[in-house]
Amino acid sequence: MSGILLSVQDLTVSYRVGRGQIDAVDGASFDVETGSIVGLVGESGCGKTTVARALTRVIADNARITGGKMLFEGRDLAALPEKEMNALRWRDIAFIPQSAMNSLDPVYTVEYQLNEVLRRRGGMGRAQARLRCEELFDMVGVDAKRLRDYPHQFSGGMRQRVAIALALALNPKLIIADEPVTALDVIVQRQILDQLQDLQKRLGISVILVTHDISVVAYICDRTVVMYAGRVAEQATTRDALLQPAHPYTMGLRNAFPDLKGAASGVLTPIEGAPPNLASPPPGCRFAPRCPFVMDMCKSVVPPPVNVTTSHLAACHRADEAGALRQIAEKAETWMVPA
Amino acid sequence: MSFLKPASARLLQLVFVLWAVVTILFFMFRLMPGNPMAAYIDPTFTVEQQEILMAQFGLDKPLWEQYFIYLGNLLQGELGDSFRYREPVAGRILSLLPNTLVLTFSSLIVAYAFGILAGAYLAWRRGSAVENIAIPLVLTTRAMPEFWLGMVLLAVFSFWLGWFPAGGTRGAGASYDSYFALYTSTEFLTHLALPALTLAIYSQGLPLLLMRSNMLDVMKDDFVTMARIKGLSNWTVIVRHAARNALLPVMTSFAIAVGYQLQGNVVVESVFSWPGLGRELVNAVSGSDYPLAQGAFLAIAVVVIAMNLVADLLYAFLDPRISHA
Amino acid sequence: MLEAIAGRPSRIFAAMFRSLRLPLNDPFAVAGLVIYAVFALTAIFADRIAPYDPTEILFTADYDLASDLMPFTEGFVLGTTSLGRDIFSQIVMGTRSALLVGITAAFMVALIGSVIGLVSGYFGGWVDMVLMRLADIAFGIPFLPFVIVLAAFLEPSIWNVVLAMALVLWRDTARVIRSQVLTLRSRGYVDAARVAGSSDIKIILRHIAPNILPMSFLYGSVAIGWAILTEASISFLGFGDPQSISWGYMLQDAFASQALAKQSYHWFIPPGLCIILVVSAGFFITRGYENILFPKVGR
């Protein structure tokens, strides 16, 4: 049943800015198992969206994949010729964009845009496509009558359902969802996430869910990959990552999010400071300037990913002390003063 | 279609503007020559003619009464008689209107077809050397007087190279049974070529720059990126999605451009001796043929005002965000 | 805070001047400014630069009429017209009427348009409605035909164009300024100033005017081009002032004298080129301004 569908290894994506270059993603590595939902989480600027887009090979004009591999079913997406990559697009790898009004063409009906992928990319005939449209709408819970409507006639939540239907159209193996519920209100968020999870389980699709919201990850993701400043800080099952984090950053993240169900005693403690400027990142561990557990070594040597358990990796020099550090991290005072 | 309600509001606006322009004309032509009767009566008319016109336009009545008679006459298409041609102005205007419209629309269609394609191409080739040459060149075409361009084209292609005739719509002595026969004859087309080219070169700048600017904006929109992520072909992305969206404001500008083109017509018709409304207006004003001048101006104004309305409606019709609100 | 809103007049004018922001980064805009400068200087010193009076009928050394001479014969730089007048002198003197009409008309259009747009956008209500109906009417009047019709009744003069533009062409500027004012009004500080008790005049001068001035300037510089083109068209059609030799008049003269058939390019190309240069200069400066007002990433 399972196997590794996608293996990102040491991925580096660089942006040409002015005369210099910024590595928005600098040596990121993580795996996605077939049939699982992986959460790619981190704050703005950590590189998660860049990774998501790099997987589709549709990136900004001034961006380039400058290192690493993205092994999808054994084939390196980073090295594929454009024609072969294009054959994969949408058929094997689909994308759900952020809930932006603008991700659907305003001058065509939703049905037209569905047919566009079904017929142009899926080679379906008219009747077959029609049936599939209705099937897809049924799957996402939108009335088939609305196929003839234009994007602006849908509410935000409905539009996201349409986006999901679009992504499912050609039965892809992998769906990358970039902040799919960020712009929706909490109740609709939950509905969409439930739907997504339900479909994923039924159809056996693998999903990469990019988000900055840890509660989303906690809600439906099987595994969690935490990114910071262009690198992967930690990756583990969601349970391990959130309940037994081994990287100080993840420990800090936990404190910064309110727990809807938990005790009211939790004080929100943000992590002091800000992520480094990627134009001139610090040598060594990038979290060092903000880390309460920093040692001298952290400031000069880049921490390699270390196995905390077989399926749990953390890029920290002090990963073996994780248990003890966790205890200290739970106290709010640890985070008050920047290291 | 939910754009019918604003359509009726626009229609009202059209009627209002039309009324205002007609009123301005009335006062201009009555008050400015000094003698209100000069608007319709030429001293060389026969006594009977003068009496007929007096009665028709109530020229011996007080000004405000004349105004309503004038409006009534207008609605019936009665514009008085031309001093120079001694025939009804309305008939003369109608016979000239097709010539002007053919010139206007043919040149505008060429201008827009070229401008849209070139504008999309330049957006595609952003930052290239082609762009750095093309844009200033286009701005220059907008900076030149159309009649001067006409003169240059005439001097080169007609007088020097002899490829095209020097003016008019047909050769001397040629006659055609109907407008249709005339317009589809090769002789007409050779006569149309230079004036239409002149106007086309002058007008292509707007659709070109507008299309380019819109394309550059639209190419940054999310749905264009999504189309690429879907793996759709370049043609589908650029033409069916980007260009289709960028085209919207350009199409509505077409309607407005007709109005501006008509003004360009005025001078170009004079350069090429094209028997249209523009040239007629100029001749009528030069010869103090007030009824004809008023009629020609009115005809042009009506087209401009109508086209403004068409532009508004077109936008509502073409943009699903408005037509399917 | 209150003092800032009820600012002193000197500061208000300083703010206005700063808001002009000459576009000196764009090479084309600089070229445009240079062209303007050259033509302006030519206009000012025209009578020193022009070798002859433009209306003077000249004779060759052999006492023949100096008619239709080619450039550089008998010392006439650009040759002569059919009537024996020096083309170069006409070009040089023509800068005067061109710039005069251009600048005056542009100023009127920018001023009237901005004031109407400002009043309309700021006060709203029925004032707005009336003024915008006026704009609708202005949009319904075909401009060049209107100037021609005016010519039927008024003495031929270069000021007819200015008058017509002042009456009709304020419409674009007014609409754009109005929408800009509406945008500015939707920002908090206007309401804040009102609550603080500032008078409308002060608010307009201190907050609104400096922000719309660049836009007025932009439309003004485009209007210069329009004015020159219109004046040229009017003169070409024979409605211009025969006493003031403008570039448009030169073209009419050339056309009527069969210069096309005679292939006298030296007669009708230079006036056209001058018009193109001056009007293009206006466009380039405008583009430079646009990049300041509406910076687009990566152009």
Side-chain angles (χ1 to χ4, degrees), chain B:
Chain B
M1 293 270 174
S2 67
F3 71 103
L4 281 182
K5 220 208 231 157
S8 51
R10 297 285 201 293
L11 210 57
L12 218 63
Q13 192 192 42
L14 175 142
V15 171
F16 168 72
V17 174
L18 211 48
W19 164 81
V21 172
V22 156
T23 306
I24 291 175
L25 262 192
F26 173 82
F27 283 105
M28 266 177 73
F29 277 90
R30 295 307 168 97
L31 301 179
M32 291 186 98
N35 170 14
M37 292 206 259
Y40 288 104
I41 296 188
D42 185 60
T44 61
F45 279 167
T46 64
V47 179
E48 301 91 54
Q49 272 180 310
Q50 293 198 23
E51 278 172 4
I52 294 172
L53 287 167
M54 289 273 270
Q56 222 173 20
F57 287 94
L59 295 173
D60 44 356
K61 303 219 173 67
L63 203 64
W64 64 269
E65 257 195 71
Q66 285 191 39
Y67 176 62
F68 285 104
I69 298 175
Y70 163 82
L71 285 182
N73 281 339
L74 259 187
L75 287 171
Q76 295 169 41
E78 179 55 64
L79 292 164
D81 291 343
S82 156
F83 293 167
R84 183 169 160 202
Y85 298 103
R86 308 281 153 149
E87 57 179 52
V89 166
R92 184 144 184 95
I93 298 287
L94 282 175
S95 69
L96 295 172
L97 189 63
N99 289 338
T100 295
L101 290 179
V102 163
L103 181 57
T104 298
F105 278 98
S106 60
S107 57
L108 211 53
I109 288 172
V110 169
Y112 264 67
F114 173 76
I116 288 173
L117 290 172
Y121 177 74
L122 281 180
W124 175 244
R125 290 259 163 270
R126 189 168 65 105
S128 67
V130 177
E131 191 190 36
N132 288 330
I133 301 173
I135 303 280
L137 198 64
V138 171
L139 286 178
T140 308
T141 62
R142 298 223 70 199
M144 59 175 69
E146 324 95 298
F147 64 90
W148 178 81
L149 180 62
M151 283 168 70
V152 173
L153 290 179
L154 249 189
V156 171
F157 291 103
S158 182
F159 288 110
W160 178 36
L161 294 172
W163 291 351
F164 293 99
T169 52
R170 59 192 144 186
S175 77
Y176 293 85
D177 294 328
S178 68
Y179 279 113
F180 186 72
L182 170 64
Y183 293 151
T184 48
S185 68
T186 31
E187 189 183 24
F188 179 76
L189 289 174
T190 52
H191 280 87
L192 180 64
L194 284 185
L197 184 64
T198 307
L199 282 170
I201 293 178
Y202 180 72
S203 308
Q204 47 80 34
L206 182 75
L208 191 151
L209 292 174
L210 194 57
M211 185 67 184
R212 173 181 168 271
S213 165
N214 289 346
M215 281 290 278
L216 288 176
D217 286 340
V218 168
M219 301 276 265
K220 292 191 213 127
D221 276 340
D222 290 340
F223 63 85
V224 174
T225 312
M226 275 303 290
R228 287 194 203 281
I229 296 179
K230 288 177 191 164
L232 294 166
S233 69
N234 264 339
W235 175 262
T236 307
V237 173
I238 292 174
V239 175
R240 280 187 200 270
H241 287 284
R244 171 76 175 80
N245 275 272
L247 210 51
L248 219 54
V250 180
M251 289 321 296
T252 46
S253 81
F254 183 90
I256 306 236
V258 171
Y260 286 109
Q261 184 86 316
L262 270 180
Q263 303 180 72
N265 259 27
V266 172
V267 274
V268 170
E269 283 180 13
S270 297
V271 172
F272 290 95
S273 308
W274 188 265
L277 285 179
R279 197 179 74 139
E280 201 66 12
L281 175 66
V282 173
N283 290 343
V285 169
S286 303
S288 296
D289 188 348
Y290 295 125
L292 189 54
Q294 193 178 234
F297 182 90
L298 205 55
I300 297 176
V302 166
V303 176
V304 168
I305 296 170
M307 281 302 157
N308 285 347
L309 173 71
V310 168
D312 279 340
L313 291 180
L314 210 60
Y315 202 92
F317 183 68
L318 290 177
D319 188 346
R321 282 168 288 196
I322 303 179
S323 60
H324 286 83

Side-chain angles (χ1 to χ4, degrees), chain C residues 8-20 206 210 213:
Chain C
R8 289 191 311 262
S10 59
R11 278 211 256 144
I12 294 171
F13 288 121
M16 281 181 160
F17 189 75
R18 250 182 288 125
S19 67
L20 284 182
R206 182 88 176 82
L213 225 54

Side-chain angles (χ1 to χ4, degrees), chain A residues 1 3 5 32-38 72 90-96 132 136 139-140 164-177 195-209 220 222:
Chain A
M1 184 194 90
L5 177 70
V32 177
E33 277 175 29
T34 316
S36 70
I37 305 184
V38 174
F72 180 76
W90 223 254
R91 295 189 189 132
D92 290 312
I93 302 175
F95 194 87
I96 298 175
R132 180 76 176 145
L136 286 167
M139 266 197 260
V140 297
I164 295 174
L166 259 170
L168 293 171
L170 301 178
N171 262 326
K173 300 195 177 97
L174 174 67
I175 290 185
I176 304 164
Q195 186 104 75
L196 203 54
Q197 188 174 38
D198 176 58
L199 287 166
Q200 184 265 337
K201 293 270 177 285
R202 274 203 279 151
L203 303 169
I205 305 176
S206 314
V207 176
I208 297 178
L209 187 65
I220 62 169
D222 302 320

